Amino acid sequence: MSASAPDAPSGTGPNDSVRAVVDAGGEPWARILGLLERRWCELPVGSVLELHSANPQVRSSLRGWCRLTGSTLLTEEETGDVSAYRIKLPPPPVHGTPTPFPLPKPESP
């Protein structure tokens, strides 16, 4: 997992530049979920995180996670076998409050 701050792509605002990148390779959703949760709590409110994944099943789980957490899926891009997702993160949950974690694993096709 690496952090970077590349320029924002056209169509996003100045506050939508990527604050951190999670390169998950072909990891399953359960592993990616843990990485997202950790980075979410480490980053400032409103940060944009970019997730790279070669696992095609991540797309539907990520959309569900965004709905449950109040995150905004800004963009999705596919390059070969890898998908890149830009996610704007809401404030992290307050310690001691119920959270929607963990999300169930998506059913295999």
Side-chain angles (χ1 to χ4, degrees):
M1 181 167 44
S2 63
S4 64
D7 295 331
S10 60
T12 61
N15 294 328
D16 289 341
S17 61
V18 173
R19 185 81 181 208
V21 176
V22 173
D23 186 354
E27 293 287 340
W29 173 248
R31 172 80 173 114
I32 294 170
L33 179 59
L35 295 171
L36 290 176
E37 290 173 2
R38 184 169 60 236
R39 295 303 283 163
W40 181 19
C41 291
E42 294 171 351
L43 294 170
V45 172
S47 292
V48 174
L49 179 136
E50 186 168 288
L51 170 66
H52 298 177
S53 176
N55 181 341
Q57 295 178 339
V58 165
R59 176 176 284 124
S60 62
S61 294
L62 180 61
R63 288 179 178 163
W65 182 79
C66 286
R67 280 191 306 274
L68 289 171
T69 62
S71 299
T72 303
L73 184 56
L74 299 172
T75 63
E76 292 181 46
E77 295 178 20
E78 286 188 41
T79 306
D81 293 338
V82 177
S83 295
Y85 308 93
R86 287 188 182 210
I87 308 153
K88 188 163 193 165
L89 302 172
V94 176
H95 182 69
T97 59
T99 61
F101 307 127
L103 265 182
K105 295 179 185 176
E107 295 184 29
S108 299

